[in-house]
Amino acid sequence: MASLLSLSTHPSTFKGTLTSLTSLTSTPYNLSSLKLSLPTTFTTSPKKPLSIVAVSTMVPETARVPATRLRLDNLGPQPGSRKKAKRKGRGHAAGQGGSCGFGMRGQKSRSGPGVMRGFEGGQMPLYRRIPKLRGIAGGMKAGLSKYVPVNLRDIEVAGFKDGEEVSLESLKDKGIINPSGRERRLPLKILGEGELTAKVHLKARAFSGSAKEKLEAAGCTLTVLPGRKKWVKPSVAKNIARADEYFAKKRAAAAAASAETNSA
């Protein structure tokens, strides 16, 4: 659709500027860029205004591509987005030759699961040659904490008075600890850094050696809370109970024999 802009001094059907020309949106005009080639001796007379004649062609309605409405009967993937899978083992006509792209012989050409990931033919594989990291960095659970640790200096800062109970719940209420995530299921352990002056009653799953000595010297009472027992089969639990009973009798007999020897 070429557009022709020409200069003329005679009256035409359209007279105006480019702004008024582009404002006509009722009909789709296709105008090319405006290029004026004027002679060097061209001058405009003040009595004869410069007129712009625009000649354009309308886009016929039949040439426009109608928008297709999506329906269940015309839904489908885009062209080229789906590719047929290779058909292995279907002869030369499938396009992979007689061996289907698997080669002549070897373990990878046979049917079955093949080789495992990381297998290097029997030599030491890469995942066993590189050095390993311990604990959390190496993916093991040995580096994960098993307790919520609290030092004696933290208990002293909390301001517990004589006779009060120090436990996991009371430390949470005081704001000394704020466990989150997996730490919410961990028990309390008292560590021996710092000093404690108040005679309090402490309940925890475990006490460190230094903490136990300092607390006993300060006159505090300690209560070791029992841990969660691991589930075992009833037959195994019965055997464990019989073993405990047997060793308890042996310890009692040994204690009685040592008492007799001491008295003699």
Side-chain angles (χ1 to χ4, degrees):
M1 306 292 180
S3 299
L4 178 61
L5 294 178
S6 61
L7 298 176
S8 175
T9 56
H10 62 275
S12 62
T13 58
F14 173 77
K15 293 182 179 180
T17 61
L18 287 177
T19 304
S20 60
L21 179 63
T22 55
S23 63
L24 298 175
T25 58
S26 59
T27 56
Y29 285 99
N30 185 11
L31 300 177
S32 61
S33 59
L34 180 63
K35 294 182 180 180
L36 298 178
S37 58
L38 301 177
T40 56
T41 59
F42 178 80
T43 56
T44 57
S45 175
K47 295 182 180 180
K48 294 182 179 180
L50 182 66
S51 302
I52 300 176
V53 178
V55 179
S56 177
T57 56
M58 293 181 60
V59 179
E61 294 292 336
T62 57
R64 299 181 182 179
V65 179
T68 305
R69 185 178 179 182
L70 291 178
R71 289 188 172 86
L72 293 178
D73 57 349
N74 60 10
L75 289 177
Q78 293 293 331
S81 62
R82 295 292 184 269
K83 185 180 179 181
K84 291 185 178 179
K86 283 187 177 181
R87 301 178 68 243
K88 296 287 188 179
R90 296 299 182 269
H92 291 272
Q96 292 92 35
S99 57
C100 311
F102 290 107
M104 296 291 292
R105 288 176 295 276
Q107 186 178 7
K108 293 185 179 180
S109 67
R110 316 296 184 189
S111 62
V115 295
M116 68 176 186
R117 294 180 180 177
F119 184 69
E120 299 182 12
Q123 70 178 12
M124 188 62 66
L126 177 65
Y127 67 90
R128 294 185 63 186
R129 293 197 301 267
I130 59 177
K132 308 300 185 298
L133 299 175
R134 293 184 179 182
I136 257 182
M140 307 299 179
K141 291 187 177 180
L144 297 176
S145 59
K146 299 179 181 179
Y147 302 96
V148 178
V150 175
N151 285 288
L152 296 180
R153 63 182 181 185
D154 300 329
I155 301 176
E156 183 70 21
V157 171
F160 285 97
K161 299 180 181 180
D162 294 344
E164 290 186 350
E165 180 181 304
V166 179
S167 61
L168 191 64
E169 291 74 15
S170 61
L171 291 174
K172 287 180 184 178
D173 296 338
K174 293 280 187 178
I176 300 300
I177 57 175
N178 185 20
S180 61
R182 65 178 295 273
E183 294 182 353
R184 291 179 294 181
R185 300 188 298 245
L186 298 180
L188 177 65
K189 183 175 182 179
I190 305 299
L191 303 181
E193 187 173 347
E195 297 292 338
L196 183 61
T197 57
K199 297 180 180 181
V200 294
H201 179 63
L202 294 99
K203 291 184 178 181
R205 175 75 61 85
F207 297 86
S208 66
S210 59
K212 195 171 184 180
E213 293 177 1
K214 291 180 180 180
L215 291 173
E216 289 177 352
C220 300
T221 57
L222 311 181
T223 303
V224 180
L225 300 176
R228 184 174 58 180
K229 293 183 179 181
K230 185 179 180 181
W231 182 87
V232 293
K233 294 191 299 184
S235 59
V236 177
K238 184 178 180 181
N239 293 334
I240 292 175
R242 290 175 59 187
D244 292 341
E245 184 180 357
Y246 171 76
F247 287 111
K249 289 181 179 180
K250 288 193 69 173
R251 285 192 296 268
S258 62
E260 290 177 0
T261 55
N262 293 331
S263 61

